[in-house]
Amino acid sequence: MDGQPEIVDKVLGYLMQGWEIAQGWLLSPAAWSQFALLVVAFFSAWVVTRRVSPVLKNILTPPEEQTHLFAGLRLFVLSFLPLLLPLLAYLLTAVGEEVTRSLFGSGAVIAFGKRLLLFLAARALVNKIVKDPFLRLLGKYVLVPIMALYALGLLPLATTYLSETIIRLGNISFSLMSLVRGIIAGSVLFWLGRWSNDQSASYIQRQKELPPATRQLAVKAAEIVIFGVAFLLLLNIMGINLSTIAVLGGAIGVGLGFGLQKIAANFISGVILLLEGQATVGDYVALDGGEAGTIVKMTARAAILETFDGRWIMVPNEDFITTRVTNYSDSGSANRYEADFSVSYDTDINTIPAIVEAAVATHKDVLDKPYPPDCELRGFGDSGIDFSVEFWVNGLDDGPNKYTSDVLFLIWNALKDNGIEIPYPHRVVEIKGGLPTA
């Protein structure tokens, strides 16, 4: 076997060492007694689990009508029931280990069994308990392999190898162990940050006594604080000097200040919008550039408008500060609309306002305040007398709402019921010189 690569020699050495250990276990009465204790401990744990699990389920399962915090806590504890078997077997095995060490002075087999039970507990945790997709992925590809190495007794060798393997990038050098530690810690920290951010955002949005703009600003502030703390903790875990980061961050900040002026302007504009509250989620706005729609989301860089035809428009926050913005639904204020119509010259126009105002007032969405429906004479047209009725509603005359159309229907029916003619254009054609002869 001479002349083999170093890695092959190491693997063969580990295999030979494992074979020697296996031979020692197979030929040792102490090893067989420890194996018997493992079987007894696992079987006893299995019997106890079968008897105890139904009782624990009945105790911990809350009634369906209960939704309070204590009921949620009971369900959370109940979700860990699949760990009962491996953990109970682990405890019984630990008792058996003390017995075998006192009798034989050895407990290698039973110690291996304990590590194997912890591996089974980790698999049960990942496969049966964890529901979050990211945490399940992390457990499947990080926790389970680590516990497998621990069960086989190879975890110290793996950590030593990773710690001694140094990666150099110019003047920067770090070990593979620090890289792995950073990836794992970063994944966990930023998952916790995302979860904490979701919980804090949900709590803040439930505080209906706060104005919508204040709630949105508090959500953004909480998000910045949570992920900022997570980033600093990650740097500390990886052993990176924060003073070095401060100097490097200053240099990067100067470069970003010149190269990303628009992004900085949009971010600051977003903060100003949230502080002033002149435009917030749920408002229907129209900008000078022609963009119009309901604000469905406000991010650090832009506001997202949804039009009535289902399109989403991303408008930079800076446009809300530097251009003229018309807000049609600020603070839930009502909007005024007009519906034009004409009547014949044969009509007694003095009766028209009362008839039309009474008809329009029957619409369920037309308001009496700030002003009731108001019918006004607008002029004398070529074919008829022109009127217009003004009415106020809480909403926009577009999309699902058809206020002007509904009002015109009411006007039509009211005029027809009162025998009032709605004119149409008439033309008189004069033929000079008479009609031509055939």
Side-chain angles (χ1 to χ4, degrees):
M1 298 297 290
D2 296 335
Q4 295 291 337
E6 183 180 357
I7 184 67
V8 176
D9 291 338
K10 286 186 176 181
V11 172
L12 291 175
Y14 292 144
L15 291 176
M16 292 298 297
Q17 185 179 359
W19 174 246
E20 292 175 359
I21 293 174
Q23 280 185 321
W25 287 0
L26 291 173
L27 300 177
S28 171
W32 281 102
S33 63
Q34 293 174 54
F35 181 76
L37 280 173
L38 280 175
V39 173
V40 171
F42 187 83
F43 180 74
S44 301
W46 179 76
V47 172
V48 172
T49 301
R50 287 200 61 181
R51 294 180 177 274
V52 172
S53 292
V55 178
L56 292 177
K57 283 184 179 180
N58 291 332
I59 295 174
L60 295 175
T61 303
E64 293 183 359
E65 64 273 8
Q66 291 186 4
T67 57
H68 49 71
L69 179 62
F70 184 66
L73 184 61
R74 290 167 65 182
L75 288 174
F76 178 74
V77 175
L78 182 63
S79 65
F80 287 89
L81 196 60
L83 294 181
L84 180 61
L85 174 59
L87 292 183
L88 184 59
Y90 178 86
L91 293 176
L92 295 176
T93 304
V95 175
E97 183 181 14
E98 295 297 324
V99 175
T100 56
R101 289 190 182 277
S102 62
L103 293 177
F104 303 101
S106 173
V109 176
I110 207 165
F112 171 75
K114 287 172 59 181
R115 297 195 300 269
L116 185 61
L117 290 171
L118 289 179
F119 169 75
L120 295 177
R123 287 189 74 252
L125 178 67
V126 172
N127 295 331
K128 299 180 180 180
I129 299 175
V130 176
K131 303 299 182 184
D132 185 84
F134 177 78
L135 287 183
R136 177 169 287 187
L137 186 69
L138 194 65
K140 183 177 180 181
Y141 293 103
V142 176
L143 178 62
V144 172
I146 289 176
M147 294 306 297
L149 291 174
Y150 174 72
L152 296 174
L154 299 177
L155 187 59
L157 295 175
T159 53
T160 302
Y161 175 78
L162 293 175
S163 299
E164 293 176 350
T165 304
I166 306 298
I167 299 175
R168 290 180 173 84
L169 299 174
N171 295 327
I172 302 175
S173 61
F174 52 90
S175 65
L176 274 178
M177 189 64 192
S178 62
L179 180 62
V180 172
R181 188 188 301 119
I183 293 174
I184 297 174
S187 301
V188 174
L189 282 175
F190 280 93
W191 178 86
L192 285 173
R194 187 193 67 181
W195 180 83
S196 302
N197 181 61
D198 292 342
Q199 297 300 315
S200 62
S202 176
Y203 175 77
I204 293 171
Q205 294 294 352
R206 289 198 301 268
Q207 310 307 309
K208 299 301 182 182
E209 65 274 7
L210 297 175
T214 304
R215 296 201 300 267
Q216 197 72 15
L217 181 62
V219 169
K220 294 298 179 186
E223 182 179 2
I224 293 172
V225 170
I226 289 171
F227 284 102
V229 171
F231 181 70
L232 293 177
L233 286 175
L234 177 60
L235 294 180
N236 190 30
I237 291 173
M238 295 182 67
I240 298 177
N241 192 345
L242 295 182
S243 61
T244 306
I245 294 296
V247 176
L248 180 62
I252 294 175
V254 173
L256 293 179
F258 287 104
L260 302 177
Q261 295 183 35
K262 282 292 184 181
I263 294 179
N266 286 320
F267 179 79
I268 295 172
S269 299
V271 174
I272 294 173
L273 283 173
L274 292 173
L275 286 174
E276 292 183 347
Q278 297 302 318
T280 186
V281 175
D283 289 351
Y284 186 89
V285 297
L287 283 75
D288 273 354
E291 302 90 350
T294 303
I295 302 176
V296 295
K297 187 177 182 181
M298 298 186 72
T299 65
R301 187 183 66 84
I304 300 176
L305 309 184
E306 184 178 14
T307 64
F308 284 120
D309 55 3
R311 293 180 298 170
W312 280 26
I313 304 173
M314 295 189 65
V315 180
N317 291 329
E318 187 181 10
D319 290 357
F320 284 87
I321 303 297
T322 58
T323 62
R324 184 172 59 185
V325 179
T326 303
N327 193 334
Y328 290 92
S329 52
D330 183 34
S331 300
S333 59
N335 298 311
R336 191 192 72 174
Y337 295 98
E338 297 181 3
D340 300 326
F341 64 97
S342 300
V343 298
S344 171
Y345 275 100
D346 297 331
T347 307
D348 181 6
I349 61 173
N350 297 295
T351 62
I352 297 300
I355 294 173
V356 172
E357 289 171 2
V360 174
T362 60
H363 193 284
K364 62 182 180 64
D365 293 322
V366 173
L367 305 176
D368 291 330
K369 295 181 179 180
Y371 300 101
D374 181 25
C375 183
E376 299 177 353
L377 176 64
R378 291 297 171 87
F380 302 99
D382 295 337
S383 304
I385 304 173
D386 299 329
F387 284 87
S388 180
V389 61
E390 299 173 352
F391 59 94
W392 290 77
V393 292
N394 265 329
L396 300 171
D397 189 21
D398 202 349
N401 302 321
K402 303 292 186 293
Y403 299 129
T404 302
S405 174
D406 294 342
V407 166
L408 288 175
F409 271 108
L410 292 172
I411 294 173
W412 172 276
N413 293 327
L415 295 179
K416 288 294 184 183
D417 292 342
N418 287 272
I420 298 172
E421 180 184 354
I422 298 176
Y424 55 88
H426 293 76
R427 295 293 183 265
V428 176
V429 180
E430 180 180 355
I431 303 175
K432 293 184 178 181
L435 293 172
T437 58

